[in-house]
Amino acid sequence: MSKSKKRIEVLQPIVKSTEDNVTFEKLILACNKYIYANDFKDYELTVLSQKDGVTVGIITTGHNKNLPPKKNKATGSHSTLGIDITKENLSFGNVFLYDATLNVLFYEVNKNGCYLDDLKAYLQNKWNIDNTENLVDVNFYLVSRKGEYERLLKMSYFKEFQAVIANPTEVLQEIEDNESSLLGIARKCVSDAAKANTDTLVVKFSTHGKKINKTGLGRQTILKYVRSFQHLFSIGQKRNVQVLKVQGYFSDPELPTTLQPINLIADTFTIYISLTDKLLHNDLQEAEREAEVKKLYLKHLPELKMLFKPEKK
């Protein structure tokens, strides 16, 4: 029987709260079985299992508006799907696994499902309604296998920044309604590229080097550009980010003193689960999704432990 690959993002969730410390695990459990709806979709988080600090669950996304028609192959005519939209919807799933000890989240990418920005809104909505004195803000950051972003933060001199985005018109269609402030810079660049009808967007800043430009590129500006374009990864657009790199120098004598490249794409996790193909589904393959994401997690756990050694208590 054939199988389809589903990409899994490896992320670190960061939760900021106004009062008491709120963990991501606490957010997940607080939202179990909670239904949150916007104009076109509704979302529900279900915890499937929890053991030894590892929580596995699934986000169910229900589409209830702008549903496509079905086509009669013999006549070529179209008609409605025949579902009662007051009681039924089309459902799609995103499996997730969260390790509370390492603060690492495995999250399935599904273009018809719940994007990370939707998950952020979902978690914040439930918690902030119930806890008006302790509001939370949730963000997700891609895990670099070799800590490339951490290396970037250690740079004292930025010589060059470059981002190359394929299909800017397609990217704009996916993000133009996304209100995340992190996307501000990327959205503006992609929008200008789409208006120019270009097939590839190239953003590049460069200096002639330390002898001519003593201070290098503006640190805060470059970090803002990196975070904005990197945020495209988290909303299903990683395939269109062809290049995202910085070159510069470290001042730490224990680190290399020559010009160093930092590739913020190549060292992220590119991993997949496999799900059995079916002509018609009668469930979200919860058991198969759970087994697959657990297997993938165990495969990469040794590497994750090297990257994120838990703090001693």
Side-chain angles (χ1 to χ4, degrees), residues 98-136:
Y98 176 65
D99 183 322
T101 302
L102 300 176
N103 189 34
V104 170
L105 176 69
F106 281 46
Y107 192 77
E108 177 187 351
V109 176
N110 186 336
K111 67 178 181 179
N112 293 308
C114 180
Y115 287 113
L116 286 170
D117 278 352
D118 298 322
L119 178 60
K120 169 187 169 78
Y122 171 88
L123 296 170
Q124 292 178 177
N125 178 269
K126 169 62 174 171
W127 182 269
N128 290 342
I129 287 175
D130 295 342
N131 301 272
T132 55
E133 300 299 319
N134 190 22
L135 304 179
V136 298

Side-chain angles (χ1 to χ4, degrees), residues 37-181:
N38 60 25
D39 290 339
F40 294 97
K41 301 176 184 178
D42 58 63
Y43 306 95
E44 181 178 7
L45 183 154
T46 303
V47 174
L48 300 176
S49 65
Q50 189 176 37
K51 184 179 180 181
D52 299 329
V54 175
T55 304
V56 180
I58 190 167
I59 309 291
T60 301
T61 301
H63 291 239
N64 48 40
K65 289 184 181 179
N66 285 342
L67 301 180
K70 62 182 179 181
K71 180 180 179 180
N72 186 306
K73 292 182 179 180
T75 65
S77 62
H78 291 83
S79 60
T80 61
L81 291 172
I83 64 174
D84 183 352
I85 58 173
T86 63
K87 300 177 181 178
E88 302 171 305
N89 56 34
L90 296 183
S91 294
F92 302 88
N94 299 73
V95 72
F96 68 85
L97 181 151
Y98 176 65
D99 183 322
T101 302
L102 300 176
N103 189 34
V104 170
L105 176 69
F106 281 46
Y107 192 77
E108 177 187 351
V109 176
N110 186 336
K111 67 178 181 179
N112 293 308
C114 180
Y115 287 113
L116 286 170
D117 278 352
D118 298 322
L119 178 60
K120 169 187 169 78
Y122 171 88
L123 296 170
Q124 292 178 177
N125 178 269
K126 169 62 174 171
W127 182 269
N128 290 342
I129 287 175
D130 295 342
N131 301 272
T132 55
E133 300 299 319
N134 190 22
L135 304 179
V136 298
D137 179 59
V138 185
N139 287 291
F140 301 96
Y141 298 95
L142 278 170
V143 172
S144 295
R145 304 189 85 148
K146 297 179 181 178
E148 290 294 84
Y149 188 74
E150 286 74 17
R151 290 182 66 229
L152 176 69
L153 294 178
K154 293 178 181 178
M155 275 192 167
S156 59
Y157 184 98
F158 292 151
K159 183 179 186 297
E160 183 176 293
F161 165 85
Q162 185 177 17
V164 178
I165 311 298
N167 307 310
T169 301
E170 175 190 318
V171 175
L172 181 63
Q173 290 172 349
E174 292 292 331
I175 71 171
E176 60 184 345
D177 295 326
N178 190 309
E179 297 179 356
S180 171
S181 59

Side-chain angles (χ1 to χ4, degrees), residues 256-274:
T257 56
T258 56
L259 182 65
Q260 294 294 306
I262 292 182
N263 188 332
L264 293 153
I265 295 178
D267 291 316
T268 56
F269 284 82
T270 304
I271 56 178
Y272 301 84
I273 59 173
S274 296

Side-chain angles (χ1 to χ4, degrees), residues 180-237:
S180 171
S181 59
L182 281 173
L183 280 173
I185 291 173
R187 185 189 294 109
K188 175 64 166 61
C189 293
V190 168
S191 177
D192 289 344
K195 290 175 183 177
N197 197 32
T198 183
D199 295 321
T200 303
L201 164 66
V202 178
V203 180
K204 185 175 180 179
F205 302 116
S206 182
T207 73
H208 290 298
K210 288 183 175 181
K211 290 184 178 180
I212 298 176
N213 189 323
K214 303 295 185 183
T215 58
L217 299 173
R219 179 182 181 82
Q220 293 305 317
T221 298
I222 296 305
L223 292 179
K224 286 179 181 178
Y225 269 78
V226 167
R227 285 193 290 265
S228 189
F229 282 105
Q230 201 172 37
H231 194 56
L232 292 174
F233 299 169
S234 303
I235 56 172
Q237 289 300 310

